[in-house]
Amino acid sequence: MRLTFLGTGTSQGVPIVGCSCEVCLSEDYRDKRLRTSAFLETGDVNILLDAGPDLRQQLLRNHIVRINALLVTHEHKDHIGGIDDIRPINFLMKETMHIYGLKRVLNIISKDYDYAFNSYKYPGVPNLKLMPIFDEPFTIQGIEIVPVIVRHLNLPILGYRIGNLGYITDASFIADKEKRFSF
Ligand SMILES: [Zn+2]
Ligand SMILES: [Zn+2]
């Protein structure tokens, strides 16, 4: 199993447009951070964790051409703003991208990308299928995914446990009940 951090920046990325703080003006490559996303390779299965507005650049610079599923943590734009850039993966794989997330989050995705879900599909729109997650583990091509509810300030969002890996972003609180999934 291999996890690649595609981005570890804040919701605006680092540097922030127009900011003249020391970090934003830094020449250090570690101060150039794209929006938060990660790519998990396990066996033959490739899973993308969140698809923010930097997705195109992240796919290009990591040479990612195959994604079997997208797991979304929550609906903020820095986590779903790049879903249109799934299109080349659709074309390459000739498959529908399955997007997993909370029902609330998938509803927002279906509004934001309504053109991908209309009964008449304009040619070339992303080919997406929304897969609601309930409060129980599920599998993607034989890989067990355990959803973990965490709080992002007051918003319940998802983290994921996959094998020995835990992926949690934007969280400020984890209830004891969810720690049943800890190691
Ligand atoms: Zn700054
Ligand atoms: Zn957020």
Side-chain angles (χ1 to χ4, degrees), residues 74 76 78-79 152 155 157 170:
H74 67 294
H76 290 160
D78 53 319
H79 297 262
H152 179 3
L155 186 70
I157 69 168
D170 293 46

Side-chain angles (χ1 to χ4, degrees), residues 17 24 37 55 61 63 78 89 93 105 125 164 173 178:
V17 172
C24 289
S37 174
L55 184 65
R61 74 179 192 180
H63 311 289
D78 53 319
I89 307 294
M93 295 182 70
V105 173
V125 299
N164 282 335
F173 178 78
E178 297 297 327

Side-chain angles (χ1 to χ4, degrees), residues 162-173:
I162 304 165
N164 282 335
L165 175 92
Y167 183 82
I168 289 175
T169 180
D170 293 46
S172 43
F173 178 78

